[in-house]
Amino acid sequence: MTTLVERFSNDEQFEGMLFADGYDEAFVGLGWRFHDGPVAVYDRNKVIEIMMADGLSYDEAVEHFEFNVIGGWVGDKTPIFMVMAEFLAVE
């Protein structure tokens, strides 16, 4: 079965798009920044869940995510990491 990441990475119209290695299951779609786009968009919480499944504690996963993933600017096509609105709702 072809993943969404594989489908986008093999499509000429998305040439040059960068993807976060190892987080295909957290890929949710495409996003655009001013003069940049499309860029890959990932669910931050799913990325952290994947890290935890690989053996990191929650705190270790968050620290690694914030320092190495968010801090890993690789140019205009750097992926975006978002939090689904349902997790931001205040009761």
Side-chain angles (χ1 to χ4, degrees):
M1 181 175 177
T2 303
T3 67
L4 283 175
V5 169
E6 291 169 336
R7 217 165 90 208
F8 283 111
S9 62
N10 292 323
D11 190 322
E12 286 182 18
Q13 71 180 5
F14 302 110
E15 189 172 336
M17 233 169 95
L18 300 175
F19 297 94
D21 291 337
Y23 303 115
D24 288 6
E25 292 177 21
F27 178 75
V28 295
L30 306 176
W32 283 259
R33 290 186 288 249
F34 187 68
H35 293 293
D36 294 334
V39 294
V41 178
Y42 292 84
D43 181 323
R44 172 197 182 271
N45 293 335
K46 286 185 182 179
V47 170
I48 290 171
E49 288 174 12
I50 291 167
M51 290 178 184
M52 292 170 59
D54 288 340
L56 296 180
S57 69
Y58 176 78
D59 289 337
E60 291 168 333
V62 169
E63 181 178 341
H64 180 81
F65 176 81
E66 290 176 354
F67 185 78
N68 296 298
V69 178
I70 293 295
W73 180 260
V74 291
D76 292 341
K77 298 292 185 175
T78 298
I80 295 170
F81 298 86
M82 48 79 70
V83 175
M84 301 297 283
E86 63 196 52
F87 292 107
L88 299 175
V90 178
E91 295 181 20

